[in-house]
Amino acid sequence: MVGRLIIRGDAESTQDLAREMALQGAPAGTAVMALNQTRGRGRMGRSWISPPGKNLALSLLLRPTLLPRDAPLLGLLASIAVAETVEDAGVPEARLRWPNDVLVSDKKIAGILSEASMDDRSVEFVIVGVGLNVNAQESDFPADLPTPATSVLMCTGRESDLEQTARRLLGHMDRLYEKLNREGSGFVPPLWESRWAHCGVRLTHKKVTGVGHGIGSDGALLLKTDQGRIERITSGEVLPAESTRT
Ligand code: BTN
C-alpha cells in the first residue's frame, strides 16, 4: 500500500534517501520528499535542478513482485499518476512522452527516474523518483533545457500546496499499483497510450526511425519502421524525427 510520506527539509537527492531506507528495511509504499533537493538526478546521467521550496521532489519505494523485464512498467504507471495529479490541479491535458516524461502543450512539467535493485530473476526494490514542477515560474528554469519546462502554476495561475500535491500523487499511484497487483499489467499499455503525445508520429532512436506504434506489455516502445518491421526500444531517448534537440 502506497502512502507513508516522510518530509525532509534539505536533501541532496531523495533517490539516495529512499535507497538508504530500502536497505534498512523500510516497508514498500514509503515515500520521501525534500523541500530543498540540492543534487537531484535525472535520466541519462543528467542533473535535475529545482528551486528550493517550489517543486515536488519525491521518491517512492516499491517492492514489486514483477519480473525484472517488467520493472519499467512502474515508471509508466508513475507518469500516469502524475498526469492525473496535475489535471486535478486544473492543468488541461497532460500528455506522456516515452518513457516517463509528462508534458503540457509540449513543455515538460515532470520527469521520472526509476532505479531498481534486481538480479536476473527477481526485483528486490524499485525507487520511483518524481520531479514535478509545481510552483516554479518561467524565470526559475535554466534557459538551455533540452525541452522547455512548465509548471502547475504556469499552466493554471494558481499556487499549490506541495504536501497536498504529494499526497494526491501517492493516492493515484496507490490505486494504479493496487490494480497492477490485482489484475496484472494488461491495462497499463492502453492507459498510457491514451495519453501518448507521439502516437503515430515519426520518431527516431539512435539509428532507428519509425512511426510511434504503441507500448509493449513490458513497457517497451514499439516503432513501426518504413519496412513495416516493429522495433522494440527499451532504453534511451526517443525524439520526433524532425527534432533538432541533441
Ligand atoms: C528526468 O526527467 O530526467 C527525471 C527527473 C527525476 C527527478 C526526480 S526529483 C526526485 C527524485 N530525486 C532525484 O534525485 N531525482 C528524482
Side-chain angles (χ1 to χ4, degrees):
M1 145 94 185
V2 173
R4 179 176 171 230
L5 176 63
I6 297 167
I7 303 176
R8 292 282 171 84
D10 295 343
E12 290 201 341
S13 165
T14 56
Q15 292 296 96
D16 297 338
L17 292 181
R19 186 183 167 77
E20 280 162 30
M21 289 174 189
L23 296 174
Q24 286 164 14
T30 303
V32 57
M33 65 182 266
L35 300 175
N36 180 25
Q37 178 172 257
T38 53
R39 282 174 72 113
R41 297 200 299 276
R43 290 184 67 241
M44 321 269 300
R46 298 194 181 110
S47 51
W48 181 262
I49 299 166
S50 199
K54 292 199 172 181
N55 293 335
L56 191 62
L58 176 144
S59 297
L60 170 65
L61 165 64
L62 297 172
R63 298 184 186 274
T65 52
L66 291 171
L67 292 172
R69 64 151 200 268
D70 291 334
L73 289 171
L74 297 174
L76 300 189
L77 271 195
S79 64
I80 297 167
V82 170
E84 293 174 345
T85 303
V86 299
E87 287 180 356
D88 288 346
V91 170
E93 257 217 323
R95 317 277 290 168
L96 305 177
R97 177 170 68 190
W98 190 87
N100 309 313
D101 288 345
V102 185
L103 309 178
V104 180
S105 306
D106 283 336
K107 294 184 175 175
K108 183 161 164 173
I109 197 163
I112 288 159
L113 174 67
S114 259
E115 295 178 315
S117 170
M118 59 191 186
D119 59 24
D120 289 349
R121 276 181 286 172
S122 64
V123 180
E124 187 193 3
F125 60 81
V126 177
I127 294 169
V128 181
V130 177
L132 167 59
N133 300 328
V134 180
N135 295 319
Q137 288 167 332
E138 183 91 57
S139 56
D140 290 314
F141 295 113
D144 57 348
L145 288 174
T147 302
T150 190
S151 70
V152 175
L153 173 66
M154 286 162 67
C155 292
T156 64
R158 286 190 302 275
E159 290 213 349
S160 306
D161 181 79
L162 289 185
E163 180 179 341
Q164 210 172 47
T165 305
R167 292 198 186 278
R168 201 170 268 270
L169 168 62
L170 293 176
H172 284 301
M173 193 60 194
D174 183 50
R175 180 179 39 80
L176 293 166
Y177 189 59
E178 290 296 313
K179 190 171 163 78
L180 177 73
N181 289 330
R182 213 174 42 242
E183 296 177 13
S185 61
F187 76 97
V188 182
L191 189 59
W192 193 94
E193 286 165 5
S194 69
R195 291 183 175 275
W196 190 14
H198 293 145
C199 179
V201 172
R202 263 186 96 68
L203 297 169
T204 181
H205 173 264
K206 296 185 181 161
K207 291 193 172 142
V208 182
T209 298
V211 173
H213 188 69
I215 294 289
S217 58
D218 57 357
L221 176 67
L222 307 178
L223 287 190
K224 190 167 187 183
T225 67
D226 295 341
Q227 293 70 39
R229 220 178 40 245
I230 299 291
E231 287 277 344
R232 292 179 72 257
I233 314 289
T234 56
S235 65
E237 206 151 42
V238 180
L239 298 169
E242 72 282 3
S243 165
T244 52
R245 180 179 159 194
T246 54

